[in-house]
Amino acid sequence: MSNAQENGNGFKFAWIAFLWVCGLMAACKILYNIAWYEFAPGMHKPVTFVVGVLLFAVLALAPAVVYPIGRKRGASGPLLVLVSFLTLLIWDAWEVYRVTEFFTLGESLYYGLNSVFIAAVLAGISEMGAWEAYFRKKDKTEGAPGLMGPVLTALAGLALLYVVMFWNLGQSFFYIYQSGYRALF
């Protein structure tokens, strides 16, 4: 298979993986927002809990699904990064739109920078770095780029994820987030 065909297949498979992940995310969002208490009393809490966990798993793992599928087929790096983060951006835009119902546009856009979105992006950076290191290790060819960049990327993403979500139980990042809100609005 020629290099051009590989890149074409990588392009196609990366977008197909994105569509699957995005479809699963949309299904989770829809199922989460159904008024289960009207359809099946007593099912609201368990259904929304399961669907909510699945939704956040999809968001946390979207790059870990899309990146290796496209990378294995030869998609370019910039395309892989774009397609890997597109699900997260769509979810964030959906959430920003949702809160425009009760916040101003500026406040809604600022809400888009919440810790869940930032954590998903940082987790995605780590996942892509780890997958890139795996593929470089697997495809060892003379003169190929080394493992240092992807490994450092994965570790930096994990370190920043720790700061945003787990350091002081996320309160430190939330304080910075709230300080920014007060300064702007």
Side-chain angles (χ1 to χ4, degrees):
M1 186 180 289
S2 73
N3 200 17
Q5 286 175 319
E6 288 177 18
N7 288 338
N9 282 339
F11 179 85
K12 179 177 75 175
F13 278 94
W15 283 106
I16 289 171
F18 157 74
L19 289 173
W20 275 98
V21 169
C22 199
L24 185 57
M25 177 207 52
C28 288
K29 286 278 296 170
I30 291 166
L31 287 171
Y32 185 82
N33 291 317
I34 289 176
W36 290 100
Y37 49 84
E38 291 177 8
F39 295 117
M43 292 300 295
H44 181 74
K45 285 183 181 179
V47 170
T48 54
F49 174 77
V50 170
V51 173
V53 169
L54 184 58
L55 171 64
F56 285 109
V58 167
L59 293 173
L61 299 174
V65 171
V66 175
Y67 192 89
I69 290 172
R71 175 70 165 80
K72 186 175 182 180
R73 306 279 196 215
S76 68
L79 171 73
L80 291 171
V81 171
L82 169 72
V83 175
S84 293
F85 283 137
L86 202 52
T87 303
L88 304 177
L89 293 172
I90 290 170
W91 173 78
D92 199 47
W94 196 337
E95 289 298 304
V96 166
Y97 174 74
R98 184 182 61 81
V99 299
T100 58
E101 185 176 318
F102 39 88
F103 289 140
T104 66
L105 181 61
E107 289 172 313
S108 298
L109 291 172
Y110 189 78
Y111 172 78
L113 299 174
N114 65 60
S115 59
V116 173
F117 175 69
I118 300 295
V121 168
L122 294 172
I125 289 169
S126 292
E127 293 161 12
M128 288 187 288
W131 274 111
E132 185 61 30
Y134 167 79
F135 279 109
R136 286 185 185 183
K137 178 82 172 156
K138 184 179 168 199
D139 299 339
K140 272 193 203 175
T141 56
E142 199 166 314
L147 295 175
M148 185 64 76
V151 169
L152 288 178
T153 300
L155 293 175
L158 286 175
L160 290 170
L161 178 65
Y162 173 79
V163 168
V164 169
M165 293 301 288
F166 303 111
W167 178 42
N168 199 17
L169 298 175
Q171 293 174 6
S172 298
F173 178 80
F174 186 73
Y175 176 76
I176 294 167
Y177 181 78
Q178 287 296 94
S179 296
Y181 181 84
R182 273 185 295 228
L184 290 170
F185 307 103

